[in-house]
Amino acid sequence: MSADRQRIDRWLWNARIVRTRSAAASLAIVGHVRVNGVRVAAPGRDVKCGDVVTVALHGGVRVLKVIGLAPRRGNAAAASQLYEDLGNSPR
């Protein structure tokens, strides 16, 4: 893995969007994840800072901008530093 990219399943897990990495991989496999508007076909798809990740989860859709990558999963405060939630922005 390069320092400026990370697998989408690992990023979703590190950012605490899902509880397990296998759940993140499953979301990617079934097509519930998009990166920059393009459906992700495999959990190995890389993301980088600046990418916009759209996740269909729990009957809703979350739109997140990647602003950081983490080498390991941290606490909730650290996880919230990995993304900007675009879904709550005023329109």
Side-chain angles (χ1 to χ4, degrees):
M1 175 187 92
S2 74
D4 63 338
R5 296 181 182 272
Q6 191 167 53
R7 289 172 54 113
I8 187 66
D9 61 336
R10 186 167 184 101
W11 185 84
L12 289 169
W13 181 61
N14 286 346
R16 294 184 169 264
I17 307 304
V18 294
R19 288 182 181 238
T20 66
R21 188 166 169 191
S22 63
S26 295
L27 283 174
I29 290 168
V30 298
H32 291 289
V33 180
R34 293 178 184 264
V35 175
N36 298 325
V38 178
R39 183 173 291 188
V40 172
R45 164 68 158 83
D46 284 342
V47 293
K48 62 186 183 312
C49 290
D51 285 345
V52 175
V53 177
T54 306
V55 184
L57 189 64
H58 305 301
V61 176
R62 294 194 67 185
V63 181
L64 310 166
K65 182 176 182 181
V66 178
I67 58 173
L69 305 172
R72 73 182 98 208
R73 191 172 198 218
N75 61 25
S80 69
Q81 300 298 309
L82 299 180
Y83 61 89
E84 175 185 348
D85 193 340
L86 302 177
N88 293 335
S89 61
R91 294 179 193 237

